[in-house]
Amino acid sequence: CLPVSLCRLKIELHDCQKLQTVAALGEGIGKLQNLLELDLDFTFDFRLTADSANAIGEALVNLTKLEKLAINLNYWRHLKTLAGLGAGIGTLHCLKVLDLSCQNCSCLNDVGVRHMWIAIGKLCSLRELRLKFRKCDKLYDLTILGSELLMLSGLDTVMLEFEQCEMLDQGAARAMEQQLSGNAQILELAVKL
């Protein structure tokens, strides 16, 4: 049982062979309504799916004071969508910093991340965005992400890494980078493909 007055929380779960869901963890996090910073690092090499990501998303809805969120999903090979996680993130109106990393999530595709891109566009207080997608072979189109980022007037730092995403449309990604570089609000921009 964690104190509800907790302001910062970091959870690292690596190679927990028998863990099949993080639903209970999500419920516990959702009770920490005074949380300002949350860092979740989940590295698994097997079973966890969208249900676990949804549980985290449902917990985020209650964290109305959250200003900084870092989520690392590594080796979630069966994860096809970030819709539930995106729905939770989209409610975080005080969020200033978002750092999202998905690595080796080989089933994740454009349809599965579209909700996340739209959710990011709702973050009116967002100042800093760091996205790292590595070896997510089914990602193709970043057009929606680019459109959503252009609508965020307070965004001043954007770091985007899409490495070894074999299907990614490089031309569209470069066009998005050009659009963002023309935005006078963004002080720091890095796009790595």
Side-chain angles (χ1 to χ4, degrees):
C1 185
L2 296 171
V4 293
S5 61
L6 193 67
C7 292
R8 291 178 182 85
L9 179 62
K10 180 173 184 165
I11 297 174
E12 293 184 18
L13 297 175
H14 295 269
D15 298 322
C16 300
Q17 296 298 320
K18 296 185 180 185
L19 187 66
Q20 295 184 15
T21 183
V22 294
L25 179 63
E27 289 174 19
I29 291 170
K31 294 176 183 175
L32 303 173
Q33 296 178 356
N34 290 314
L35 212 55
L36 298 175
E37 294 182 17
L38 179 59
D39 186 343
L40 301 173
D41 186 351
F42 299 131
T43 300
F44 300 104
D45 197 11
F46 57 109
R47 299 179 277 271
L48 293 180
T49 63
D51 291 338
S52 291
N54 290 346
I56 297 166
E58 290 170 10
L60 294 176
V61 172
N62 297 320
L63 305 180
T64 58
K65 297 178 183 177
L66 198 66
E67 295 179 356
K68 183 177 180 182
L69 176 62
I71 299 178
N72 179 24
L73 305 177
N74 199 2
Y75 288 104
W76 284 39
R77 295 180 197 267
H78 301 288
L79 183 66
K80 294 180 181 176
T81 181
L82 295 175
L85 184 58
I89 288 174
T91 66
L92 301 174
H93 300 292
C94 292
L95 197 67
K96 295 177 182 172
V97 178
L98 175 60
D99 186 339
L100 176 64
S101 175
C102 291
Q103 299 183 63
N104 301 296
C105 298
S106 54
C107 288
L108 194 58
N109 60 37
D110 286 332
V111 174
V113 296
R114 182 177 297 133
H115 298 286
M116 179 61 71
W117 302 158
I118 293 169
I120 289 171
K122 295 178 182 177
L123 300 175
C124 55
S125 297
L126 196 64
R127 301 290 174 257
E128 181 177 324
L129 175 65
R130 296 178 187 280
L131 297 177
K132 182 175 184 177
F133 284 76
R134 185 171 185 267
K135 290 189 177 180
C136 298
D137 297 332
K138 295 182 180 177
L139 287 184
Y140 177 78
D141 187 11
L142 299 178
T143 307
I144 293 174
L145 174 62
S147 299
E148 294 296 330
L149 294 181
L150 287 172
M151 293 190 310
L152 295 173
S153 61
L155 195 60
D156 58 30
T157 302
V158 180
M159 302 294 185
L160 305 176
E161 291 183 39
F162 293 90
E163 294 184 86
Q164 298 176 349
C165 297
E166 302 298 326
M167 299 294 292
L168 190 65
D169 180 346
Q170 300 283 322
R174 291 290 175 212
M176 178 188 68
E177 181 180 17
Q178 287 293 329
Q179 275 186 313
L180 293 174
S181 66
N183 186 335
Q185 302 279 0
I186 298 177
L187 304 175
E188 186 176 356
L189 173 67
V191 178
K192 186 175 181 181
L193 301 174

